């Protein structure tokens, strides 16, 4: 495994040995002569540094095809390596799509990964790690270990990747002249791992020397504190910086440099100081983002910690776990988590299954669990994942291929490390420690950069809110963000980046107050009260919360609608006070003064003070097991509405 003190140096095939096996492989569409020529050049030494420029790349000639794969047995894979099976199925078409045209020699065509999939986007080349993994890993199910055609494609792809690098050490992404932080940060991560795999296989020595030089240039660019494209007082994209730091850490373990090592240590200090909000989340465009924080940043943080042992990274993981404890809503049936997604600044990760079979982008987070036990609540339990893997192995269906462009090489990267998942008992203990499960009464407020987060727990309800003089991005939605009950689970989830699915006052033309900043006043008292408003006071909303009861009083400057995104299940009974039923997946328009949601032996009562025109419709949003579905309740009013929600269990 790929551990800080245990990087494998297992030798597979030397260049000469790989070339010697050439004649034993089945022929592809390329001629035997071109196959021998390209594979031999890749494996046999590269003394002239082929691939350092387009002209020398063109001289390499046509690339050989990688032989196709027959049916593979699922049972052949070790449980922790099941994640690579779809990549194995997809490897030949991926390799055979590598361009051998003069100008783009080595470019991954086919749209396998990242957008735009053009020849100036260095991120398209990140699958060099996938190729290197299959070349270097000797497994009985892997016919491509030591394959010269694979090595030829890998060599060409690395060569193209390196040719895209600017002289200052950065790489482009969206345009050829761009000096991109994400392209450079992730290149450091992928290429440092490719370097380790090539060394373990004793392959491509000349190319390895070029990778070493390339990584050194990239580190010089990324670790420079004066580089404003990387370092800001509050980092714009913490995940991208952390990817570069984890890659730098591995690169420096392989090729030590005291000056760069000192810069890396200082950079980790800047990350700890400027990459994480005092509220607990990691900065993504100055706000929180569930997907990038939990699925990208935290694994990169784990990668960096595994390579450096720097305890500051564990403290960051612990603080973020505290944030997760307020923002991940546990479903009482144990199916998983529904997220407080409205504040998210870039993406919409609406839920997480309790057990997440391979491939799981959060798996590497488990390496923090021994030091941050509460994090185990949000990851698969060891026994449950083992059961899911046994079921996968027993499935007689063919292993599915990757679906473009969702083919992330991060799954391969995470698989280089040993796993650690909490046992089911320890996971359950961590779940019980969640603030809203351990306590029935608290008012938690967190703030940063003009943003205000509210987490309010009372008996029989847990309420979230996101307010402030600014919001993170146009993706974020403000106002009340969720309503949860310990028996009913999530009743309301306000969506981000969606004016039709947020909890909001909506004017004609679907103008939602939640689609903008809303300053808030915390009034306190019992019941607890707070008031928020649009910047122009076109809508002023006063909320009070007490045990099992929530009121929302809206004062708008003109007629509007109260839009409520309900999370419903097929076995719910939803009925308006006039007796009209609202069927799961169906639409209803009626006149009533309230609605009752019956679930799991209790009822959630919505009342709005008098007969009003109200509509109910399903959305296209499904959650968790696919049975839960968001439905939109819309209550029309003349500008004044007093809504009460009672949760009786």
């Amino acid at each position: 495994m790929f551990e800080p003190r245990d990087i494998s140096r297992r030798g597979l095939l030397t260049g000469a040995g790989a070339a010697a096996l050439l004649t034993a492989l089945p022929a592809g569409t390329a001629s035997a002569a071109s196959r021998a020529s390209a594979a031999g050049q890749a494996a046999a030494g590269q003394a002239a540094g082929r691939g350092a420029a387009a002209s020398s790349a063109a001289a390499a000639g046509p690339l050989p095809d990688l032989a196709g794969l027959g049916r593979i047995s699922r049972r052949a894979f070790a449980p922790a390596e099941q994640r690579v099976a779809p990549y194995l199925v997809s490897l030949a078409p991926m390799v055979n799509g590598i361009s051998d045209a003069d100008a783009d020699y080595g470019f991954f065509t086919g749209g396998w990964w990242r957008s735009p999939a053009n020849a100036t986007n260095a991120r398209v080349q990140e699958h060099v790690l996938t190729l290197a993994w299959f070349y270097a890993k000797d497994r009985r199910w892997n016919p491509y270990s030591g394959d010269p055609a694979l090595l030829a494609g890998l060599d060409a792809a690395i060569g193209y990747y390196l040719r895209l690098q600017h002289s200052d050490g950065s790489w482009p992404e969206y345009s050829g002249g761009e000096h991109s932080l994400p392209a450079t940060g992730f290149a450091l991560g992928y290429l440092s791992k490719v370097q380790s795999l090539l060394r373990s296989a004793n392959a491509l020595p000349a190319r390895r020397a070029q990778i070493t030089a390339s990584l050194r240039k990239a580190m010089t660019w990324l670790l420079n504190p004066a580089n404003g494209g990387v370092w800001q007082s509050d980092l714009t994209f913490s995940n991208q910086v952390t990817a570069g730091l984890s890659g730098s850490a591995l690169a420096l373990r392989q090729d030590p440099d005291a000056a760069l090592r000192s810069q890396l240590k200082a950079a980790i200090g800047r990350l700890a100081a400027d990459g994480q909000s005092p509220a607990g989340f990691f900065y993504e465009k100055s706000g929180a983002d569930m997907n990038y924080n939990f699925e990208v940043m935290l694994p990169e943080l784990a990668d960096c910690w595994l390579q450096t042992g720097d305890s500051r990274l564990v403290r960051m993981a612990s603080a973020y776990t505290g944030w997760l404890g307020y923002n991940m809503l546990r479903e009482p049936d144990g199916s998983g988590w529904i997220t407080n997604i409205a504040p998210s600044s870039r993406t919409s990760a609406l839920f997480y299954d309790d057990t997440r079979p391979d491939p799981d982008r959060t798996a590497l987070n488990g390496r923090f669990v021994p030091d941050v036990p509460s994090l185990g609540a949000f990851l698969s339990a060891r026994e449950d994942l083992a059961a899911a893997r046994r079921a996968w192995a027993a499935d007689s269906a063919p292993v599915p291929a990757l679906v473009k462009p969702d083919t992330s090489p991060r799954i391969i990267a995470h698989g280089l490390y040993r796993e650690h998942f909490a046992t089911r008992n320890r996971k359950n203990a961590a779940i019980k420690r969640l603030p809203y499960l351990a306590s029935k009464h608290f008012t938690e407020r967190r703030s940063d950069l003009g943003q205000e987060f509210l987490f309010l727990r009372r008996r029989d309800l847990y309420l979230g809110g996101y307010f402030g003089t600014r919001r993170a991005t146009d993706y974020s939605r403000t106002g009340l963000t969720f309503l949860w009950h310990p028996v009913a689970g999530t009743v309301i989830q306000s969506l981000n980046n969606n004016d039709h699915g947020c909890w909001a006052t909506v004017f004609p033309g679907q103008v939602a107050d939640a689609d903008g900043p809303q300053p808030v006043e915390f009034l306190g008292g019992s019941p607890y009260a707070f008031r928020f408003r649009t910047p122009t006071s076109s809508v002023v909303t006063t909320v009070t919360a007490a045990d099992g009861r929530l009121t929302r009083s809206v004062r708008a400057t003109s007629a509007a609608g109260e839009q409520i995104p309900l999370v419903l299940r097929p076995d719910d009974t939803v009925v308006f006070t006039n007796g009209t039923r609202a069927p799961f997946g169906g639409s209803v328009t009626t006149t009533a003064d309230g609605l009752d949601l019956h679930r799991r032996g209790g009822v959630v009562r919505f009342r709005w003070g008098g007969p009003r025109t109200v509509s109910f419709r399903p959305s296209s949003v499904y959650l968790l097991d696919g049975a839960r579905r968001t439905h939109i309740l819309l209550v029309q009013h003349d500008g004044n509405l007093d809504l009460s929600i009672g949760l009786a269990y």
Side-chain angles (χ1 to χ4, degrees):
M1 285 294 184
F2 203 70
E3 298 299 310
R5 293 168 299 279
D6 184 31
I7 293 184
S8 173
R9 292 293 182 265
R10 174 184 55 81
L12 289 177
L13 294 178
T14 65
L21 285 181
L22 181 62
T23 56
L25 293 174
T29 57
S31 69
S34 68
R35 178 183 300 276
S37 172
Q41 288 179 59
Q46 308 176 348
R50 180 177 63 83
S55 59
S56 61
L63 287 169
D65 280 351
L66 186 64
L69 185 71
R71 186 179 177 108
I72 57 175
S73 170
R74 292 178 178 234
R75 295 186 183 276
F77 292 85
E81 289 187 344
Q82 290 177 0
R83 73 190 74 196
V84 306
Y87 293 80
L88 176 65
V89 173
S90 306
L91 188 64
M94 184 184 293
V95 172
N96 294 339
I98 295 173
S99 174
D100 54 10
D102 287 358
D104 298 335
Y105 191 89
F107 172 66
F108 280 102
T109 68
W112 286 97
W113 176 237
R114 305 303 301 184
S115 177
N118 59 45
T120 58
N121 186 351
R123 300 212 59 188
V124 173
Q125 298 301 107
E126 291 170 356
H127 267 301
V128 292
L129 176 63
T130 304
L131 274 59
W133 195 96
F134 284 104
Y135 181 81
K137 295 296 182 179
D138 186 8
R139 302 291 188 269
R140 64 189 179 93
W141 47 260
N142 178 18
Y144 299 119
S145 173
D147 186 292
L150 174 57
L151 188 63
L154 172 60
D155 180 42
I158 295 172
Y160 189 80
Y161 204 171
L162 300 184
R163 293 199 302 278
L164 288 174
Q165 188 177 28
H166 295 304
S167 60
D168 66 357
S170 65
W171 271 272
E173 184 174 9
Y174 294 105
S175 65
E178 180 189 11
H179 298 258
S180 165
L181 168 58
T184 307
F186 287 105
L188 276 162
Y190 289 120
L191 284 172
S192 62
K193 292 176 175 64
V194 167
Q195 180 79 304
S196 179
L197 290 165
L198 290 177
R199 287 181 175 179
S200 75
N202 192 25
L204 303 181
R207 188 66 79 196
R208 297 199 315 258
Q210 293 173 3
I211 293 173
T212 296
S214 174
L215 291 171
R216 193 175 301 276
K217 285 199 305 179
M219 286 187 283
T220 300
W221 182 85
L222 185 129
L223 298 176
N224 180 5
N227 185 345
V230 178
W231 302 103
Q232 307 89 33
S233 57
D234 298 299
L235 296 184
T236 305
F237 298 106
S238 292
N239 83 87
Q240 298 166 4
V241 174
T242 308
L245 299 187
S246 63
S248 296
L250 176 56
L252 290 172
R253 288 190 59 254
Q254 297 177 101
D255 295 291
D257 181 296
L260 288 172
R261 171 65 67 180
S262 177
Q263 290 183 47
L264 173 62
K265 185 176 181 179
I268 292 174
R270 292 195 298 276
L271 175 69
D274 300 329
Q276 186 168 28
S277 166
F281 58 82
F282 303 117
Y283 289 123
E284 289 295 326
K285 290 190 173 180
S286 77
D289 188 86
M290 181 63 72
N291 175 10
Y292 274 104
N293 278 197
F294 189 45
E295 299 184 39
V296 184
M297 172 64 183
L298 195 59
E300 291 294 342
L301 203 70
D303 194 337
C304 193
W305 176 59
L306 289 168
Q307 294 299 333
T308 64
D310 194 309
S311 61
R312 292 173 292 184
L313 305 174
V314 179
R315 291 194 290 271
M316 292 177 70
S318 180
Y320 177 66
T321 300
W323 169 261
L324 277 182
Y326 291 101
N327 288 276
M328 289 274 236
L329 308 176
R330 182 70 178 172
E331 285 298 278
D333 63 1
S335 57
W337 311 85
I338 291 179
T339 64
N340 179 24
I341 197 59
S344 279
S345 60
R346 299 183 63 190
T347 59
S348 299
L350 304 179
F351 64 91
Y352 289 94
D353 291 323
D354 190 54
T355 302
R356 298 188 287 279
D358 303 305
D360 172 22
R361 298 206 313 167
T362 68
L364 192 58
N365 297 342
R367 292 306 301 267
F368 279 125
V369 168
D371 295 275
V372 188
S374 293
L375 181 57
F378 310 109
L379 305 174
S380 299
R382 187 181 304 170
E383 301 93 329
D384 298 334
L385 182 58
R389 286 171 167 172
R390 287 193 298 271
W392 183 90
D395 192 340
S396 61
V399 174
L402 298 172
V403 178
K404 302 176 187 179
D406 187 19
T407 67
S408 175
R410 291 173 54 77
I411 301 301
I412 302 291
H414 295 174
L416 292 167
Y417 294 98
R418 288 192 296 267
E419 296 181 334
H420 186 96
F421 293 96
T423 64
R424 189 183 297 115
N425 285 342
R426 290 185 176 180
K427 172 175 176 168
N428 289 340
I431 290 171
K432 289 179 181 178
R433 293 194 298 269
L434 291 171
Y436 59 88
L437 291 178
S439 173
K440 295 181 180 179
H441 192 285
F442 61 76
T443 304
E444 178 75 10
R445 288 171 47 192
R446 300 192 177 190
S447 61
D448 188 26
L449 301 177
Q451 302 166 87
E452 301 281 349
F453 302 87
L454 174 67
F455 307 98
L456 189 145
R457 180 73 161 98
R458 298 294 184 267
R459 182 177 57 81
D460 281 336
L461 70 80
Y462 179 41
L463 179 71
Y466 174 56
F467 318 98
T469 55
R470 63 176 297 277
R471 56 176 171 160
T473 67
D474 291 346
Y475 244 77
S476 308
R477 293 295 180 269
T478 55
L480 301 183
T481 60
F482 66 80
L483 179 64
W484 177 94
H485 183 274
V487 177
T490 305
V491 176
I492 299 172
Q493 180 194 38
S494 185
L495 305 182
N496 68 340
N497 195 37
N498 189 332
D499 286 345
H500 296 268
C502 54
W503 194 352
T505 296
V506 179
F507 290 111
Q510 207 59 34
V511 178
D513 66 343
D515 193 358
Q518 296 194 81
V520 64
E521 305 168 74
F522 294 108
L523 306 174
S526 182
Y528 187 86
F530 56 96
R531 180 181 298 120
F532 57 96
R533 66 186 69 228
T534 61
T536 63
S537 294
S538 58
V539 182
V540 179
T541 305
T542 303
V543 177
T544 64
D547 291 348
R549 184 175 180 83
L550 173 72
T551 66
R552 177 178 158 107
S553 298
V554 176
R555 300 296 180 262
T557 55
S558 62
E562 172 76 359
Q563 179 175 272
I564 307 174
L566 301 172
V567 175
L568 300 181
R569 301 189 294 196
D571 56 352
D572 290 339
T573 299
V574 182
V575 59
F576 289 99
T577 51
N578 64 3
T580 301
R581 286 183 174 267
F584 183 89
S587 298
V588 171
T589 298
T590 189
T591 301
D593 65 1
L595 175 144
D596 292 337
L597 165 58
H598 298 268
R599 176 184 296 171
R600 303 190 73 181
V603 60
V604 183
R605 295 188 173 93
F606 297 80
R607 297 293 184 269
W608 42 81
R612 298 182 186 275
T613 300
V614 57
S615 63
F616 172 94
R617 61 175 177 80
S619 78
S620 59
V621 175
Y622 291 85
L623 304 167
L624 287 174
D625 48 16
R628 291 165 176 81
R629 188 175 182 182
T630 300
H631 292 66
I632 307 301
L633 180 68
L634 183 64
V635 183
Q636 301 293 340
H637 59 86
D638 60 4
N640 295 327
L641 180 74
D642 295 302
L643 171 71
S644 69
I645 305 175
L647 300 97
Y649 279 80

